[in-house]
Amino acid sequence: MSATPAGGQSVSRLLRAWRARVDRRRIPELRVWGHRAGSRMSQADVARLTGVSEGWYRALETGAPREFSDAFLLRVAEALRLSETETLTLFLGVSGRRPPMSGVHRAGTAVDPATVTLLEHQAPHPAYVSDAAWNIVAANAPMTEWFPFTLGPRPNLMRWALTSAEAREQILGWEDTCARIYLPMLRVASHRAPRNAEIQALIADILAANGTCRRIWAEQHAVVEHPGGHRLRLRLPCHDGVDVQVTSHVLVPAEQPDLRFVVVTRVGEGEVPRAG
């Protein structure tokens, strides 16, 4: 467990405080296990709720060095009724990593207004925001001009890029520069959020629709999370058939880490020449 931050509290102290505020009388599972005097939740109560021994939970709360799994930490967060920010603090303090993505997709993800404003300021560069399942939840005007599919109902980047004939025509070298990059991203997402039904359905739809994707999925075992600096050559109707080479820049908004903020620039635009 990490050391106490300067001027802050250790995760051990936070865990004790979080446990102290929970009224055990309001938890049905604890009532089933029998009555105990007092309303304060004990370490034994948390252990019961999380399915571990009292000693294992005590090790977490006292800061003993252990390899605590994500699943266990999520059960602790649920037992202690932690908020999203408190859960993040627990994970960072105990393991130094963020909690795994939720298995439930939040339909109609609302993008922070400041993020939308920033998106609009990327013009003339196409830019968009996508969620964990690559649904495009916001796009600026250049993005809709370059890629009209983004104007359709619930547009999805992966579904368009990997199943549409339009994408195979407009993305030059489609198999090597698109399919062999995007499929490894889907593989990572599948393992990162195995209970996310939308991501699993998206993968199934893509593999069912495209034989080339099925072949690559079976023979390739590469994994990619965010292909920053990924380059593509495009031949789009809005460019009158002239080939354009572009780079995609993937950012993650700090206030909404389950979203991707992507800006597409032409190769050479804004690049700093390398010395030598």
Side-chain angles (χ1 to χ4, degrees), residues 21-31 39 81:
R21 75 186 181 188
V22 179
D23 187 343
R24 71 181 311 276
R25 296 172 300 183
R26 297 180 178 274
I27 301 177
E29 297 93 327
L30 294 181
R31 292 201 301 268
S39 61
R81 307 305 196 254

Side-chain angles (χ1 to χ4, degrees), residues 7 46 132 156 216 269:
V46 182
N156 184 281
I216 295 172
E269 291 183 338

Side-chain angles (χ1 to χ4, degrees), residues 14-265:
L14 289 172
L15 279 165
R16 291 194 294 271
W18 291 335
R19 177 165 57 83
R21 75 186 181 188
V22 179
D23 187 343
R24 71 181 311 276
R25 296 172 300 183
R26 297 180 178 274
I27 301 177
E29 297 93 327
L30 294 181
R31 292 201 301 268
V32 169
W33 286 323
H35 174 74
R36 179 174 65 77
S39 61
R40 181 171 177 172
M41 179 182 280
S42 68
Q43 291 182 344
D45 290 333
V46 182
R48 281 183 169 181
L49 290 172
T50 55
V52 299
S53 68
E54 183 177 350
W56 186 258
Y57 174 74
R58 184 181 300 114
L60 172 69
E61 195 168 292
T62 58
R66 296 285 190 280
E67 289 294 330
F68 298 107
S69 69
D70 287 356
F72 169 63
L73 294 178
L74 287 173
R75 293 197 301 272
V76 170
E78 182 178 2
L80 297 180
R81 307 305 196 254
L82 301 188
S83 67
E84 184 175 339
T85 303
E86 289 167 343
T87 301
L88 172 62
T89 302
L90 172 65
F91 269 78
L92 293 177
V94 172
S95 66
R97 60 183 180 269
R98 303 183 70 91
M101 291 168 49
S102 168
V104 179
H105 171 65
R106 294 177 294 173
T109 302
V111 182
D112 185 271
T115 301
V116 174
T117 299
L118 182 62
L119 191 71
E120 294 169 350
H121 280 278
Q122 301 311 305
H125 306 302
Y128 65 92
V129 175
S130 63
D131 65 13
W134 286 275
N135 296 303
I136 294 179
V137 295
N140 66 5
M143 183 68 187
T144 61
E145 180 184 0
W146 284 38
F147 303 99
F149 84 91
T150 58
L151 293 170
R154 199 166 176 75
N156 184 281
L157 176 69
M158 289 292 185
R159 184 170 280 111
W160 175 81
L162 295 175
T163 68
S164 72
E166 179 181 70
R168 289 193 294 277
E169 292 175 1
Q170 296 179 3
I171 301 174
L172 305 182
W174 174 85
E175 179 173 336
D176 290 330
T177 64
C178 178
R180 290 187 178 274
I181 299 297
Y182 286 177
L183 287 169
M185 293 168 63
L186 286 168
R187 194 183 301 277
V188 171
S190 175
H191 287 281
R192 187 179 181 188
R195 293 180 298 167
N196 188 314
E198 185 168 15
I199 290 176
Q200 304 305 324
L202 174 64
I203 294 171
D205 290 347
I206 289 170
L207 297 182
N210 190 295
T212 302
C213 287
R214 288 195 300 276
R215 171 174 56 80
I216 295 172
W217 188 265
E219 70 183 19
Q220 177 178 282
H221 303 289
V223 289
V224 176
E225 185 173 19
H226 298 303
H230 179 218
R231 291 190 175 187
L232 291 171
R233 282 197 308 121
L234 305 173
R235 186 176 295 160
L236 305 176
C238 66
H239 297 146
D240 297 323
V242 176
D243 294 1
V244 176
Q245 189 173 14
V246 301
T247 303
S248 62
H249 310 271
V250 183
L251 310 173
V252 178
E255 66 278 9
Q256 292 184 286
D258 55 337
L259 299 180
R260 304 175 188 87
F261 187 107
V262 183
V263 181
V264 179
T265 62

